[in-house]
Amino acid sequence: MKHPTRLLLAALVLAPASLLPAADGLHDLVANKVAAEYPSLEVLYKDLHTHPELSLMEVKTAAKIAGELRAAGFEVTENFGGTGIVGVLKNGPGPTLLIRTDLDALPVAEETGLPYASTTRVTNLAGQEVPVMQACGHDIHMTVFTGTARMLAAMQDRWSGTVLFVGQPAEEIGVGARAMLTAGLYQKFPKPDYAIALHDSASMPAGTVGTVEGYIMANVDTMDITVRGIGGHGAYPQTTKDPIVLAARIVGALQTIVSRETRPVEPAVVTVGSIHGGTKHNIIPNEVKLQLTLRSYSDGVRQHTIEAIRRICRGEAIAAGLPDDLMPVITVKEEEFTPSTYNDPALTRRVRGALAAWLGADQVLSVDPEMGGEDFSQFGRTQDKVPLCLFRLGAVAPEKVAESQRTGVPLPSLHSSKFAPVPEPTIKTGITAMTAAALDLLAK
Ligand SMILES: [Zn+2]
Ligand SMILES: [Zn+2]
């Protein structure tokens, strides 16, 4: 077993009852409080949506959410690991539960046509002016996070333990969670026994949630390859070593890593997303640049893929007759690596039980793992091996999901300029789901 500690944790996690008693009025209490809080939460949501901020620039966003946590009665630390925020609410003996939201938005020009659409443009950290949009729905996450904080603060007689509310920066570029852990999140604050988060879904109907045990999101690697050659006149190729032909061969050969070298039941992706070389019709250039994204679940497949790319690049360059000092230069951007997200099976089963008890079993879907990345994984990748559960939150009007199924016209995906979550049912379901999970994990 790769994670022997999980067996022990599984026994601990499964010990308490996973179905909450519904007969003591708790569900009604939460439903009434969610309804009472919703109008002010919708104001917050629209404000966050209209005023998005890019990764590592979430200054006003973080201040707003910190203010909300403080108002709910949390002890709040700001500017932790960059613009990160940490809210702690201690409520007697018991486990510590980490609940995470992300804070950042994307450089996308919003085209939803909503009255509260973003028209924000900013100068990014590279000095370019870009549009900004909450195109991944992190504004939904922050609103649910705030609502859940209010719920747990108002119902301290219903749970016991500590909650650690973490607002992490820079999820979209995969560096924010690591920055908070490096800043000492697990040393300076209570160390969590579990960590949970949600991410909205651009394909599931609002009112539903989705879980999957085991891997849910992939290892994400970013790689640059510079294919080198010997340039010259396009009419005299015999005097050159053409890097464009070599790059084309390499792109073709890379396709065999997944199809011929990887066990068919082990997911992997090798995508060459960008290829640039040359300046003019009749000049053979000196180099071609490739940009790749690599995806996998297991560490073994990840390592193999990277090594296979190195071998194929070198082999093709040798076949092209290039000397040793002109082998392709391969850079794996370790600082941008996002590890795969592993949903602890025992914890996920328990969270799913709570979600089903509160939302109804037919509202809790089983979702497929995906090859996208999510740096929530980092919270489970320290030596503490904190068990994680990331679940999905439906965010699309049910009639739009039905229409898409009927017409075959796909819905706007996450990161689309047209992605427009339907706020009220999504936020209310998110708060109910997160509160249900927390009350179960912190049951007295
Ligand atoms: Zn995203
Ligand atoms: Zn996202």
Side-chain angles (χ1 to χ4, degrees), residues 65 69 85 98-104 137-146 165-169 171 180 196-198 376 379 434:
I65 301 304
L69 290 181
I85 53 173
L98 185 158
I99 294 179
R100 185 216 64 166
T101 186
D102 30 22
L103 305 170
D104 54 336
H138 297 181
D139 46 357
I140 291 278
H141 306 172
M142 288 184 269
T143 309
V144 168
F145 180 85
T146 300
F165 270 56
V166 172
Q168 74 148 93
E171 190 284 322
M180 293 188 79
I196 57 178
L198 54 74
F376 175 62
F379 295 106
M434 204 46 113

Side-chain angles (χ1 to χ4, degrees), residues 421-438:
V422 53
E424 185 166 347
T426 304
I427 291 166
K428 285 182 170 175
T429 303
I431 297 169
T432 307
M434 204 46 113
T435 303

Side-chain angles (χ1 to χ4, degrees), residues 106 136 138 171-172 199 415:
L106 287 157
C136 205
H138 297 181
E171 190 284 322
E172 293 292 356
H199 201 297
H415 293 201

Side-chain angles (χ1 to χ4, degrees), residues 280-323:
K280 197 174 183 298
H281 309 69
N282 61 354
I283 298 174
I284 293 169
N286 286 320
E287 62 179 34
V288 173
K289 289 188 178 289
L290 307 179
Q291 294 181 311
L292 282 72
T293 189
L294 315 176
R295 308 293 166 112
S296 57
Y297 287 133
S298 75
D299 293 343
V301 169
R302 174 182 180 235
Q303 279 315 322
H304 172 79
T305 303
I306 293 170
E307 284 158 21
I309 291 171
R310 291 188 191 283
R311 167 172 45 80
I312 286 170
C313 286
R314 182 173 171 80
E316 292 290 345
I318 291 170
L322 280 161

Side-chain angles (χ1 to χ4, degrees), residues 198-199 201 204-212 351-352 354-356 359-367 391-395 425-426 429-434:
L198 54 74
H199 201 297
S201 160
M204 285 162 46
T208 65
V209 292
T211 67
V212 56
V351 167
R352 187 180 172 101
L355 301 179
L359 302 173
D362 54 345
Q363 298 300 100
V364 184
L365 312 177
S366 294
V367 297
F391 62 92
R392 298 232 170 255
L393 175 66
T426 304
T429 303
I431 297 169
T432 307
M434 204 46 113

Side-chain angles (χ1 to χ4, degrees), residues 60-82:
K60 290 179 184 159
T61 306
K64 277 175 206 166
I65 301 304
E68 291 289 347
L69 290 181
R70 215 169 263 130
F74 284 62
E75 194 179 305
V76 180
T77 304
E78 293 182 71
N79 300 313
F80 191 82

